[in-house]
């Protein structure tokens, strides 16, 4: 389990530590300090890009790989899902590693594993070797998905923190989109090895870039290396007063000891927020986004698309996913969490139900094929503007300070495990329930999530983390803890 030092990377998407909104005023001419920060942001955000590439690449590569090795449905499901199993393990190790080895070394190890994993998948010699390298790739994804946002939130100044961390989330969707595009390009020759191998280029750049990154000042302070921390903060902030204030704030925060497991055993109110975090991440995954991310070409093939059209449509779906995430980042603090989730789950339920109806009709005309792609896009847009980024934000907001690391660790683990469940069962579901039956199932799940949102999800927009904690701990019902 992650250790006692983690800040709350997703929460800083929308809030500063004390829950006040922070404005991003990064416009205007750039000075050398800002350039340094941008360099750091770009390097660390490459971790997001790498994760996105690894999530997206399998969609296009699966069919060609399957044909080459005559893989069964079961084997293909594991080629897809081995990555999530690796990511779950990586996420569990990440807390320990980023505490004991530090953020920079953890990122470096993550980048090295990315290089090994991508090259291994490109050069694999059998189904089982591919599955093994996908697990390795997943380790890197789980490790980086935890460490990079954490590092970014610790390096950024208060007024650029939201932007830095949301850049990471956006880079994941950019990575998925680029993977879909490169899959499309290599699909003309069926070169699945190149689809995997090409990701080694950003992986190597990432690895080299990390060498030039400074240590996280917060981690240095945790290690008692105050002088070094001060030096780095002076370099990054260019303002001794600002640097001194930040060091003081970090020391104060570190005084709250993390005692998640103890609190979990003793306090039923904390158990409620842990359960809520687990429910939120399970809802995110069971909404079905990753059946589209991993299997879009497969779904489109059941709608009688030829290989090239499958790939181009998948690339367009990736683009919508990316663009809608941009929209979400702007909406989160204006609309509030509940209205966005109601809208998102309704859009997803309708998208899945329409798709099921279309598939049931046999997809004989070109119009119905176009309508199917459109529905997949609507579904992805619904996810990317709501449950995609929002569940990460909410999960970080609802946990009390003393149990935050424990609560976030469990909800993150749930995310990877339910992701695994969906990935590993989708093709079998399609065989068992039929394609339209499978989409009806996801439509029903999304409809159910509207009800769960109504019953349990709090509106945390504008609420300080302190207020949320007080309400939770005095037994206020979950959906009211943001009031
Ligand atoms: C989810 C991932 C998903 C991605 C798609 C994230 O919020 O956790 O499982 O692949 O969004 O953009």
């Amino acid at each position: 389990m992650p250790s006692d030092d983690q800040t709350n990377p997703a929460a800083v998407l929308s809030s500063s530590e004390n829950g006040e909104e922070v404005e991003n005023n990064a416009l205007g001419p750039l000075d050398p300090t800002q350039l340094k920060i941008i360099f750091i942001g770009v390097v660390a955000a490459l971790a997001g890009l790498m994760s996105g590439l690894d999530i997206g690449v399998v969609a296009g590569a699966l069919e060609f790989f399957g044909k080459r090795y005559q893989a069964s449905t079961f084997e293909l499901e594991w080629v897809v899902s081995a990555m999530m199993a690796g990511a779950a393990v990586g996420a569990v190790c990440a807390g320990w590693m980023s505490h004991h080895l530090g953020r920079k070394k953890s990122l470096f190890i993550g980048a090295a594993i990315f290089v090994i994993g991508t090259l291994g998948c490109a050069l694999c010699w059998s189904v089982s070797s591919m599955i093994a390298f996908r697990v390795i790739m997943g380790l890197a994804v789980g490790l980086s998905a935890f460490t990079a946002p954490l590092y970014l939130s610790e390096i950024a100044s208060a007024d650029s923190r939201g932007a830095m961390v949301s850049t990471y989330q956006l880079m994941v969707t950019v990575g998925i989109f680029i993977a879909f595009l490169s899959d499309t390009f290599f699909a003309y020759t069926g070169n699945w090895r190149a689809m995997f191998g090409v990701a080694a280029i950003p992986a190597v750049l990432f690895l080299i870039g990390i060498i030039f990154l400074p240590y996280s000042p917060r981690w240095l302070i945790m290690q008692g290396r105050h002088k070094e921390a001060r030096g780095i903060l002076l370099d990054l902030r260019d303002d001794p007063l600002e640097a001194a204030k930040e060091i003081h704030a970090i020391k104060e925060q570190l005084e709250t000891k993390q005692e998640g497991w103890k609190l979990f055993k003793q306090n039923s109110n904390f158990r409620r927020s842990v359960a809520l975090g687990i429910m939120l991440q399970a809802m995110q995954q069971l909404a079905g986004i990753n059946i589209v991310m991993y299997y879009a070409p497969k779904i489109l093939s059941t709608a009688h698309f030829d290989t090239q059209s499958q790939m181009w449509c998948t690339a367009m779906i990736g683009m919508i996913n990316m663009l809608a995430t941009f929209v979400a980042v702007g909406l989160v603090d204006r609309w509030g969490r509940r209205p966005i989730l109601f809208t998102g789950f309704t859009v997803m339920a309708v998208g899945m139900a329409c798709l099921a109806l279309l598939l049931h009709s046999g997809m004989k005309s070109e119009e119905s094929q176009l309508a199917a792609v459109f529905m997949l896009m609507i579904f992805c847009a619904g996810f990317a503007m709501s449950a995609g980024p929002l569940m990460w934000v909410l999960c970080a907001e609802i946990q009390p300070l003393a149990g935050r690391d424990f609560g976030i660790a469990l909800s993150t683990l749930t995310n990877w495990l339910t992701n695994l469940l969906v990935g590993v069962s989708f093709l079998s579901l399609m065989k068992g329930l039929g394609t339209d039956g499978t989409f009806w199932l996801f439509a029903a799940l999304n409809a159910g999530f509207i009800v769960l949102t109504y019953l349990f999800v709090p509106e945390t927009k504008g609420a300080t983390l302190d207020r949320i904690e007080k309400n939770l701990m005095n037994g206020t019902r979950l959906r009211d803890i943001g009031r």
Side-chain angles (χ1 to χ4, degrees):
M1 282 289 133
S3 46
D4 61 352
D5 61 333
Q6 293 141 29
T7 51
N8 168 349
V12 288
L13 248 178
S14 59
S15 316
S16 66
E17 288 84 87
N18 58 9
E20 285 161 11
E21 307 300 325
V22 281
E23 295 280 321
N24 175 17
N25 59 359
L27 296 176
L30 298 171
D31 59 41
T33 309
Q34 281 172 317
L35 284 174
K36 244 178 263 167
I37 294 270
I38 289 175
F39 168 77
I40 295 169
V42 169
V43 172
L46 272 178
L49 186 93
M50 288 303 307
S51 299
L53 287 173
D54 289 352
I55 291 169
V57 64
V58 76
L62 201 61
E63 194 199 326
F64 300 108
F65 171 82
K67 279 197 184 133
R68 165 67 184 81
Y69 288 106
Q70 313 272 307
S72 66
T73 300
F74 177 76
E75 287 172 327
L76 288 181
E77 283 174 335
W78 274 102
V79 168
V80 172
S81 309
M83 190 197 83
M84 287 80 91
V89 178
V92 171
C93 300
W96 184 91
M97 280 178 66
S98 63
H99 178 76
H100 292 278
L101 306 178
R103 284 67 163 132
K104 184 175 161 165
K105 279 192 192 134
S106 299
L107 280 177
F108 190 83
I109 294 171
I113 303 178
F114 266 128
V115 177
I116 299 170
T118 33
L119 289 179
C121 288
L123 301 172
C124 75
W125 53 92
S126 61
V127 175
S128 38
S129 61
M130 170 62 99
I131 292 176
F133 284 116
R134 289 276 296 165
V135 173
I136 293 177
M137 233 182 194
L139 282 175
V141 172
L143 190 56
S144 311
F146 179 88
T147 316
L150 178 67
Y151 176 79
L152 280 169
S153 70
E154 293 177 350
I155 283 285
S157 60
D159 61 358
S160 65
R161 196 169 298 153
M164 281 270 233
V165 179
S166 41
T167 304
Y168 176 83
Q169 307 285 337
L170 285 174
M171 290 299 276
V172 174
T173 60
V174 174
I176 294 175
F177 176 49
I178 294 178
F180 286 172
L181 274 184
S182 99
D183 280 5
T184 306
F185 177 73
F186 289 115
Y188 285 96
T189 51
N191 192 346
W192 58 270
R193 291 190 189 274
M195 292 179 191
F196 282 105
V198 80
I201 301 170
V204 170
L205 288 178
F206 178 40
L207 189 71
I208 297 171
I210 294 169
I211 298 170
F212 301 99
L213 292 182
Y215 284 104
S216 147
R218 183 184 162 98
W219 180 74
L220 287 172
I221 293 174
M222 279 159 37
Q223 304 299 310
R225 291 157 65 175
H226 297 246
K227 232 178 162 179
E228 282 171 81
R230 187 168 303 115
I232 288 172
L233 273 175
L234 276 177
D235 201 31
L236 293 177
R237 304 287 178 263
D238 235 5
D239 175 355
L241 200 69
E242 191 59 32
K245 265 203 232 157
E246 239 178 282
I247 290 179
H248 182 70
I250 293 172
K251 280 187 189 159
E252 245 181 23
Q253 273 179 18
L254 290 175
E255 270 164 26
T256 306
K257 265 198 101 51
Q258 288 291 314
E259 40 195 23
W261 175 235
K262 205 165 127 204
L263 198 62
F264 186 78
K265 282 189 295 182
Q266 290 169 355
N267 190 309
S268 61
N269 282 321
F270 177 49
R271 288 199 289 275
R272 292 190 307 148
S273 66
V274 171
L276 179 62
I278 288 175
M279 185 190 85
L280 289 171
Q281 289 292 13
M283 280 162 68
Q284 192 210 47
Q285 289 301 318
L286 297 178
I289 184 62
N290 285 316
I291 62 175
V292 186
M293 295 297 124
Y294 305 143
Y295 296 111
K298 189 98 196 154
I299 297 170
L300 293 169
S301 77
T302 64
H304 312 300
F305 281 80
D306 62 43
T307 307
Q308 303 310 335
S309 326
Q310 287 167 28
M311 301 308 294
W312 278 110
C313 292
T314 303
M316 273 157 60
I317 291 168
M319 187 175 75
I320 297 286
N321 183 41
M322 180 181 76
L323 294 179
T325 305
F326 275 94
V327 176
V329 173
L331 280 187
V332 170
D333 287 319
R334 270 187 277 155
W335 275 26
R337 285 56 166 154
R338 278 169 66 93
I340 295 183
L341 284 182
F342 283 137
T343 313
F345 283 126
T346 307
V347 170
M348 286 190 272
V350 171
M352 283 284 167
C354 291
L355 204 57
L357 278 176
L358 284 164
L359 288 163
H360 187 70
S361 75
M363 307 282 310
K364 297 212 176 65
S365 64
E366 218 169 80
E367 287 77 28
S368 57
Q369 283 190 324
L370 283 179
V373 177
F374 184 66
M375 283 307 148
L376 276 178
M377 287 180 174
I378 292 278
F379 169 80
C380 282
F383 174 87
M385 59 159 285
S386 64
L390 253 187
M391 293 317 193
W392 296 106
V393 174
L394 272 165
C395 279
E397 288 176 331
I398 54 173
Q399 305 299 351
L401 193 56
R404 189 156 291 159
D405 297 351
F406 181 83
I408 296 177
L410 278 189
S411 56
T412 304
L413 190 61
T414 306
N415 180 283
W416 287 116
L417 292 179
T418 38
N419 190 336
L420 174 72
L421 177 75
V422 170
V424 89
S425 59
F426 178 65
L427 295 179
S428 307
L429 274 178
M430 290 229 288
K431 269 194 173 167
L433 299 179
T435 316
D436 52 337
T438 306
F439 286 100
W440 278 123
L441 172 69
F442 281 103
L445 282 169
N446 279 294
F449 296 156
I450 301 173
V451 180
L452 288 184
T453 303
Y454 174 76
L455 290 176
F456 298 113
V457 179
E459 181 51 79
T460 51
K461 176 186 131 183
T464 62
L465 300 182
D466 198 39
R467 151 111 36 120
I468 296 172
E469 174 161 349
K470 275 196 188 116
N471 283 336
L472 173 79
M473 290 316 213
N474 71 22
T476 304
R477 66 178 175 179
L478 283 172
R479 73 169 190 232
D480 292 331
I481 58 175
R483 292 200 177 167

